[in-house]
Amino acid sequence: VDQWGNHNDSYTEQKGDYNDAFTYQGYWGIGNKSEIWQFGDKNDSYVYQDGFMNEAQNEQIGEDNWSEIYQRGEFNYGGAGQYGEDNWSIIDQKGLENWALTFQNGSDNGSIVLQDGWRNDSYVDQFGHNNFSEVIQKGWFNDSEVYQHGGHNASLVDQDGIDNNSFVSQHGGHNGSEVYQEGMWNGSDVYQHGGWNGSLVLQTGMMNYSFVDQHGHSNTSYVGQLGMGHGSFVDQHGDG
């Protein structure tokens, strides 16, 4: 699907395996919408939107599926929903006040969110085991929320800028969380419930804060802060 201009709508539905869907809505369009549904295994979905107030939603039900959403502009929304195992989602947004939402239900799934700009929001929710989430945000006033439910999950958040916030919540055993923040007035909150979890927070700059809360046994936490005026609090409940 190739659309140019404003207020365009695109809906694609595919059933079966090894399907590809591509939607392009460009040349600084306004109010464009793309919705792709794929039912089956080993399907690929790609959306590119250029402009303002655009919406993209990729939904995949099956295994070994791949979803990519690229948005350039302001006030854009990109959402990916994947139900099954071995699925991957990539959302790449550049601009102001963009919103990325990723929901994955199953094991061995991966999510990558890349946001460059101001006041961007990223929300990742994963249910299952052996899932991976990576969020990279550059700019000011960005927010990242990551929720992982299950064991052996990993979360990586990297924020560079001013007044960014990261929130990570992991429930289950053998999970790992890494948060890297560089700049001023950034905040990190990490909550882990279960045994054998690990948390790493590294902050450089000025006036950053870190809060880590761990419930369970044999958990580890490391906080490194370089600069001036930082604050750190670690609360651990359990043995080992």
Side-chain angles (χ1 to χ4, degrees), residues 47-58:
V47 177
Y48 181 89
Q49 293 177 322
D50 190 358
F52 303 86
M53 295 182 290
N54 295 314
E55 297 181 14
Q57 186 71 41
N58 289 352

Side-chain angles (χ1 to χ4, degrees), residues 3-167:
Q3 295 175 321
W4 296 69
N6 302 326
H7 306 293
N8 294 312
D9 292 332
S10 172
Y11 178 84
T12 302
E13 182 175 319
Q14 295 175 319
K15 295 181 181 180
D17 302 333
Y18 298 99
N19 293 312
D20 293 328
F22 179 84
T23 300
Y24 179 87
Q25 295 171 321
Y27 201 67
W28 289 97
I30 299 176
N32 293 316
K33 296 181 180 180
S34 170
E35 187 174 352
I36 297 176
W37 284 81
Q38 292 176 318
F39 301 85
D41 301 332
K42 303 184 187 302
N43 294 315
D44 295 331
S45 173
Y46 303 92
V47 177
Y48 181 89
Q49 293 177 322
D50 190 358
F52 303 86
M53 295 182 290
N54 295 314
E55 297 181 14
Q57 186 71 41
N58 289 352
E59 297 287 334
Q60 294 174 318
I61 301 175
E63 298 181 356
D64 294 309
N65 293 315
W66 186 275
S67 170
E68 291 187 25
I69 297 175
Y70 295 90
Q71 294 175 318
R72 303 293 182 265
E74 300 178 3
F75 310 108
N76 294 315
Y77 165 79
Q82 294 176 317
Y83 307 85
E85 298 181 353
D86 296 304
N87 296 313
W88 274 88
S89 169
I90 298 176
I91 299 178
D92 188 329
Q93 296 174 320
K94 290 185 179 180
L96 306 179
E97 298 195 34
N98 292 313
W99 170 250
L101 171 63
T102 303
F103 178 82
Q104 293 175 319
N105 191 339
S107 299
D108 300 302
N109 293 316
S111 168
I112 298 176
V113 177
L114 307 173
Q115 292 179 318
D116 189 348
W118 287 21
R119 292 188 172 91
N120 293 315
D121 292 316
S122 171
Y123 181 93
V124 178
D125 200 353
Q126 295 175 318
F127 288 82
H129 301 283
N130 299 315
N131 292 318
F132 172 76
S133 170
E134 179 177 358
V135 178
I136 299 178
Q137 294 177 319
K138 294 183 180 180
W140 292 18
F141 314 115
N142 295 316
D143 291 318
S144 169
E145 293 185 39
V146 177
Y147 298 87
Q148 293 178 319
H149 312 265
H152 299 274
N153 293 317
S155 170
L156 170 64
V157 179
D158 190 338
Q159 294 177 318
D160 186 355
I162 296 177
D163 200 13
N164 295 315
N165 291 287
S166 170
F167 179 89

Side-chain angles (χ1 to χ4, degrees), residues 134-138 144 155-161 164-166 168 177-183 186-188 190 199-204 208 210 222 224:
E134 179 177 358
V135 178
I136 299 178
Q137 294 177 319
K138 294 183 180 180
S144 169
S155 170
L156 170 64
V157 179
D158 190 338
Q159 294 177 318
D160 186 355
N164 295 315
N165 291 287
S166 170
V168 177
S177 170
E178 295 183 13
V179 178
Y180 302 92
Q181 292 178 320
E182 182 177 357
N186 295 316
S188 170
V190 177
S199 171
L200 170 66
V201 179
L202 296 179
Q203 296 174 317
T204 61
N208 297 315
S210 169
Y222 177 84

